[in-house]
Amino acid sequence: MDYLKALLGMTNEYPFFRKNDLPAEPCREIRLAGTGRRFAVTGDYQEPARNHCAAVCLANAMICLKTDRTVKQEERDRLFRRAYALLGNGPLFTREFRKGTGNALFEAGLPGCRLRPCGSPGEVRFCLEKGSPCAVLVMISPLNWHWVLAVGCREYEDGSFYLRICDGWNARADRWLRWGGPVRIRSVTAIEKKKAAASL
């Protein structure tokens, strides 16, 4: 397996950006409410979980939908356990993620939520403007895929588009992903919460 990983360019280094790395030009920025809070990370749940970035991403999406109050560690743990019970270990592809996410949202008391595939920066921007976090499946090699959560974006006059993300390894949403950049985006799924849906 190590030989195969080396042959296919397997690496654990995702070239996400920090804020200081972004262009200095004026831009239009969207940021979801509550993005300054602490999010779940894979390191919080080493046992028995393995390759559990999809479950962490889903837990963070549910945390992000809790815009009305602080989410404490105990509740983060509970949301992760719920997500992990439905998604399990990875790697997970988009179809599996969407199926498990729909069930998790229903069990979390959010039956009014729906999943919306997004295929362009414009669609992602529209969903973020409506307050919908977006689960993003990214890839840097054929054997290295990872789920992150987009909680904001920046759009520049030259058309460059960056997603503000919870990368699943850092507790703050302080990393950025460039659309069309070195990290390939495989799919984007917005999680839309209807106003009539019950609170988590």
Side-chain angles (χ1 to χ4, degrees):
M1 184 64 168
D2 290 338
Y3 171 76
L4 182 60
K5 289 180 180 179
L7 182 66
L8 294 174
M10 180 74 165
T11 175
N12 290 323
E13 297 298 322
Y14 278 76
F16 296 137
F17 297 93
R18 301 297 295 265
K19 188 174 183 178
N20 290 342
D21 301 324
L22 300 182
E25 292 82 14
C27 65
R28 177 183 178 199
E29 183 169 351
I30 298 166
R31 179 178 171 179
L32 298 186
T35 56
R37 64 184 55 179
R38 187 198 187 283
F39 289 92
V41 296
T42 57
D44 291 339
Y45 311 104
Q46 297 285 351
E47 297 294 337
R50 293 286 182 271
N51 296 321
H52 51 295
C53 60
V56 167
C57 178
L58 175 53
N60 284 334
M62 291 190 282
I63 289 169
C64 199
L65 291 171
K66 291 174 164 291
T67 57
D68 57 337
R69 57 190 171 83
T70 301
V71 178
K72 296 182 179 179
Q73 184 65 47
E74 181 179 295
E75 190 166 7
R76 280 195 298 274
D77 293 346
R78 179 178 60 82
L79 291 171
F80 172 78
R81 287 193 300 271
R82 177 176 285 151
Y84 182 70
L86 290 165
L87 296 181
N89 291 326
L92 289 184
F93 294 107
T94 303
R95 183 177 178 183
E96 299 166 304
F97 179 84
R98 288 176 179 163
K99 180 179 179 182
T101 295
N103 293 336
L105 293 169
F106 183 83
E107 289 186 13
L110 290 166
C113 283
R114 73 181 188 106
L115 305 181
R116 176 184 178 138
C118 299
S120 69
E123 290 178 317
V124 174
R125 182 184 65 246
F126 174 81
C127 290
L128 290 169
E129 285 176 331
K130 300 297 183 185
S132 302
C134 298
V136 185
L137 178 59
V138 296
M139 174 184 118
I140 56 172
S141 76
L143 292 180
N144 203 334
W145 300 50
H146 184 57
W147 284 95
V148 300
L149 185 72
V151 296
C153 66
R154 277 190 176 188
E155 190 169 19
Y156 291 86
E157 290 182 2
D158 66 0
S160 57
F161 189 76
Y162 292 79
L163 294 174
R164 181 179 183 150
I165 60 169
C166 304
D167 67 1
W169 298 309
N170 298 282
R172 301 292 175 193
D174 59 0
R175 300 300 195 271
W176 296 79
L177 167 65
R178 182 163 62 90
W179 194 283
V183 178
R184 293 182 62 192
I185 296 174
R186 303 301 300 174
S187 71
V188 180
T189 305
I191 302 171
E192 298 181 327
K193 180 182 176 183
K194 292 185 179 178
K195 291 181 181 178
S199 177
L200 280 175

